[in-house]
Amino acid sequence: MTRSFDFPGGIFPPERKIISTRQLLREAALPTRVVLPLDQHIGQAAEPCVRVGQAVKTGEPVAIGQGMLTADLHASITGTVTAIEACPIPHPSQGRYLAVVIERDPDAPETWQRMPALDWRSADSDTLTERLTRSGVVGLGGAGFPTQIKARVHERHRIDTLIVNAAECEPYITADDLLLRTYPQEVLDGARLLARLAGAERILVGIEDNKPEAIAALQAALADSSPERDTCPIEIRVVTTRYPSGGEKQLIKRLLDREVPSGGLPADIGVLCHNPGTLRATLQAVRDGQPLVSRIVTLTGEALAHPGNVEARLGTPIHSLLEEAGLKERELGQLLMGGPLMGFPLASTALPIVKTTNCLVAATRTELPPPPVEQPCIRCGACEEVCPASLLPQQLYWFARGREHDKAQLFNLFDCIECGACAYVCPSHIPLVQYYRATKGEIRAHRLEAQRAEHARHRFEFRQARIEREAAEKEARRQARAKAASRVTAHNAEAEPSPRGKPALGPDSKEQLKQLRIAQAAAKASLRKAEKALARAGESGNDDTADLEVQVATAQENLQAIETRLASAKEASST
């Protein structure tokens, strides 16, 4: 029997999963209107590539990812783009974000725009990675990390193990459970695909023992695998149920007895983790050419008459899903997205589901009553005993309250996975995770502000350097003109007048006056010509005017010298 390791802490909250596992997985009704936010993933938001009034097919790109850490977005229904505007979305901030709104004609048939199918066993890695980039696949376990980035992790890390994170430890949520019961072979093939891309030598499926039907389905699919599928050995490892076994670092510890370093990633220790939903979406993108336009959502809670799991199109209004599940509005006390420990409350049922919507809990007031009033910390240490990351939650709480950000980071605040185990056991009912989350947000905001200030400082320094350089170049040109003019003056003092003029005659000669007047007219014409050339260069925006400025200065000095001689000749002739 395979040895099982363990992680520190953890809790045993009521599972309440049986509520949504009595019915088979089904497809939700096709919505007539979807709202697709442009930032349904970690990283930079996508940019719209459609316009209002444009007709789109299901699977057609409506927004293109920008930068490296991003993801494309596709139309989840066939219809017309009716708006590209800021809309409320399901997010802890309860803010409004730019979204593409699509409406369909209920009487019109659905048409798809799919990409060409690929054989993942024979296609090269670059082709497969590009397909994931264009398919908009992200982590469906709740994080929303772009999958194509994980597919390229082998470029910097050596990966020996790919873990299928099927623990699904959060109470109420059964989306992965029903997915594994219904599509076990697709999940395993998706794991084989990504293992090949990452260069992994083996695949481990980590699943808790409270999912016997899913375990049986996986074992049957593994037994039925054809030889061509056995590209990478797969092992199913069943672990005892304890929250939060589904945490990435915690599951790695349980399966491999490896610890992800503080501030590090699983790839640093040769491991890659993927959610079952992500693996199936990856296979569909490659094998079927189908981008990510839907996901499985758990609809549960005692305020629903028909709880279960549905595969729903992205952007579907939450209220339509709840109505299908028989929402009893009078009994609804609280609506959560995610589970009761790591999820967050929703202020409205009009919000759309997004790529990271794995569960909607419609709870009654009795089922999930409002939290008691927060009391002062009694320093009991219970939070420290259950922390799965071996942190000191009590100390982090005091640092968070006192806004001592440096100390909070010194005590590894960012290693907190926000599982909520500490708040669950706190006898003072302190919402510890809210304090940690707020402090992380403040630290990130300060870092961003510091980065912007540093960027502004560099811009100021570059601007000052540019101004000083331009001033030095201008001064060099001025000095060059001055030297050129002085040379002309010296030359005119020693030599005869301009070649157009005749040799200087005696001061009492009328011929000399005539020749000097001719030279004066020629010098004036030469000056006007040089000045016009300089003016034309300035109007055309030509910065290279130094030679023309020297010519103007030279012509001015030449004219001045001739006029001086002419004045002297006139004075001499008058005497």
Side-chain angles (χ1 to χ4, degrees), residues 188-199:
L188 295 180
D189 281 350
R192 293 182 176 103
L193 190 164
L194 286 176
R196 181 200 159 194
L197 279 176

PDB file of all heavy atoms in Angstrom, residues 188-199:
ATOM      1  N   LEU A 188      -8.404  12.013 -17.308  1.00  0.00           N
ATOM      2  CA  LEU A 188      -7.120  11.318 -17.367  1.00  0.00           C
ATOM      3  C   LEU A 188      -6.369  11.652 -18.657  1.00  0.00           C
ATOM      4  O   LEU A 188      -5.140  11.830 -18.639  1.00  0.00           O
ATOM      5  CB  LEU A 188      -7.339   9.807 -17.256  1.00  0.00           C
ATOM      6  CG  LEU A 188      -7.900   9.313 -15.917  1.00  0.00           C
ATOM      7  CD1 LEU A 188      -8.072   7.803 -15.944  1.00  0.00           C
ATOM      8  CD2 LEU A 188      -7.014   9.733 -14.758  1.00  0.00           C
ATOM      9  N   ASP A 189      -7.078  11.732 -19.794  1.00  0.00           N
ATOM     10  CA  ASP A 189      -6.414  12.090 -21.050  1.00  0.00           C
ATOM     11  C   ASP A 189      -5.895  13.524 -21.003  1.00  0.00           C
ATOM     12  O   ASP A 189      -4.814  13.826 -21.536  1.00  0.00           O
ATOM     13  CB  ASP A 189      -7.383  11.920 -22.224  1.00  0.00           C
ATOM     14  CG  ASP A 189      -7.522  10.465 -22.648  1.00  0.00           C
ATOM     15  OD1 ASP A 189      -6.719   9.629 -22.164  1.00  0.00           O
ATOM     16  OD2 ASP A 189      -8.426  10.154 -23.446  1.00  0.00           O
ATOM     17  N   GLY A 190      -6.652  14.423 -20.380  1.00  0.00           N
ATOM     18  CA  GLY A 190      -6.166  15.787 -20.219  1.00  0.00           C
ATOM     19  C   GLY A 190      -4.913  15.839 -19.361  1.00  0.00           C
ATOM     20  O   GLY A 190      -3.989  16.624 -19.621  1.00  0.00           O
ATOM     21  N   ALA A 191      -4.863  14.974 -18.335  1.00  0.00           N
ATOM     22  CA  ALA A 191      -3.662  14.902 -17.500  1.00  0.00           C
ATOM     23  C   ALA A 191      -2.475  14.385 -18.307  1.00  0.00           C
ATOM     24  O   ALA A 191      -1.346  14.870 -18.181  1.00  0.00           O
ATOM     25  CB  ALA A 191      -3.925  14.002 -16.298  1.00  0.00           C
ATOM     26  N   ARG A 192      -2.728  13.373 -19.158  1.00  0.00           N
ATOM     27  CA  ARG A 192      -1.646  12.848 -19.997  1.00  0.00           C
ATOM     28  C   ARG A 192      -1.129  13.921 -20.949  1.00  0.00           C
ATOM     29  O   ARG A 192       0.082  14.028 -21.193  1.00  0.00           O
ATOM     30  CB  ARG A 192      -2.156  11.642 -20.793  1.00  0.00           C
ATOM     31  CG  ARG A 192      -2.497  10.423 -19.936  1.00  0.00           C
ATOM     32  CD  ARG A 192      -2.943   9.272 -20.820  1.00  0.00           C
ATOM     33  NE  ARG A 192      -3.201   8.042 -20.052  1.00  0.00           N
ATOM     34  CZ  ARG A 192      -4.412   7.587 -19.741  1.00  0.00           C
ATOM     35  NH1 ARG A 192      -5.503   8.258 -20.146  1.00  0.00           N
ATOM     36  NH2 ARG A 192      -4.551   6.481 -19.051  1.00  0.00           N
ATOM     37  N   LEU A 193      -2.043  14.706 -21.493  1.00  0.00           N
ATOM     38  CA  LEU A 193      -1.661  15.772 -22.426  1.00  0.00           C
ATOM     39  C   LEU A 193      -0.733  16.784 -21.748  1.00  0.00           C
ATOM     40  O   LEU A 193       0.356  17.099 -22.252  1.00  0.00           O
ATOM     41  CB  LEU A 193      -2.930  16.465 -22.951  1.00  0.00           C
ATOM     42  CG  LEU A 193      -2.835  17.461 -24.102  1.00  0.00           C
ATOM     43  CD1 LEU A 193      -4.233  17.703 -24.678  1.00  0.00           C
ATOM     44  CD2 LEU A 193      -2.233  18.794 -23.707  1.00  0.00           C
ATOM     45  N   LEU A 194      -1.153  17.280 -20.579  1.00  0.00           N
ATOM     46  CA  LEU A 194      -0.349  18.297 -19.900  1.00  0.00           C
ATOM     47  C   LEU A 194       0.918  17.706 -19.309  1.00  0.00           C
ATOM     48  O   LEU A 194       1.927  18.410 -19.175  1.00  0.00           O
ATOM     49  CB  LEU A 194      -1.187  18.973 -18.814  1.00  0.00           C
ATOM     50  CG  LEU A 194      -2.231  19.950 -19.359  1.00  0.00           C
ATOM     51  CD1 LEU A 194      -3.091  20.515 -18.232  1.00  0.00           C
ATOM     52  CD2 LEU A 194      -1.572  21.094 -20.120  1.00  0.00           C
ATOM     53  N   ALA A 195       0.887  16.425 -18.939  1.00  0.00           N
ATOM     54  CA  ALA A 195       2.112  15.781 -18.466  1.00  0.00           C
ATOM     55  C   ALA A 195       3.138  15.708 -19.583  1.00  0.00           C
ATOM     56  O   ALA A 195       4.347  15.889 -19.364  1.00  0.00           O
ATOM     57  CB  ALA A 195       1.799  14.382 -17.940  1.00  0.00           C
ATOM     58  N   ARG A 196       2.652  15.455 -20.798  1.00  0.00           N
ATOM     59  CA  ARG A 196       3.577  15.424 -21.929  1.00  0.00           C
ATOM     60  C   ARG A 196       4.191  16.799 -22.176  1.00  0.00           C
ATOM     61  O   ARG A 196       5.397  16.927 -22.399  1.00  0.00           O
ATOM     62  CB  ARG A 196       2.822  14.954 -23.183  1.00  0.00           C
ATOM     63  CG  ARG A 196       3.730  14.885 -24.406  1.00  0.00           C
ATOM     64  CD  ARG A 196       2.963  14.915 -25.700  1.00  0.00           C
ATOM     65  NE  ARG A 196       3.845  15.334 -26.785  1.00  0.00           N
ATOM     66  CZ  ARG A 196       3.414  15.717 -27.970  1.00  0.00           C
ATOM     67  NH1 ARG A 196       2.124  15.750 -28.224  1.00  0.00           N
ATOM     68  NH2 ARG A 196       4.270  16.090 -28.899  1.00  0.00           N
ATOM     69  N   LEU A 197       3.372  17.838 -22.119  1.00  0.00           N
ATOM     70  CA  LEU A 197       3.886  19.184 -22.317  1.00  0.00           C
ATOM     71  C   LEU A 197       4.903  19.569 -21.239  1.00  0.00           C
ATOM     72  O   LEU A 197       5.895  20.243 -21.518  1.00  0.00           O
ATOM     73  CB  LEU A 197       2.737  20.199 -22.314  1.00  0.00           C
ATOM     74  CG  LEU A 197       1.941  20.352 -23.610  1.00  0.00           C
ATOM     75  CD1 LEU A 197       0.786  21.325 -23.410  1.00  0.00           C
ATOM     76  CD2 LEU A 197       2.842  20.828 -24.740  1.00  0.00           C
ATOM     77  N   ALA A 198       4.629  19.167 -19.992  1.00  0.00           N
ATOM     78  CA  ALA A 198       5.509  19.540 -18.879  1.00  0.00           C
ATOM     79  C   ALA A 198       6.717  18.626 -18.757  1.00  0.00           C
ATOM     80  O   ALA A 198       7.643  18.931 -18.000  1.00  0.00           O
ATOM     81  CB  ALA A 198       4.719  19.526 -17.569  1.00  0.00           C
ATOM     82  N   GLY A 199       6.712  17.495 -19.463  1.00  0.00           N
ATOM     83  CA  GLY A 199       7.811  16.546 -19.346  1.00  0.00           C
ATOM     84  C   GLY A 199       7.751  15.736 -18.066  1.00  0.00           C
ATOM     85  O   GLY A 199       8.780  15.232 -17.593  1.00  0.00           O
TER      86      GLY A 199
END
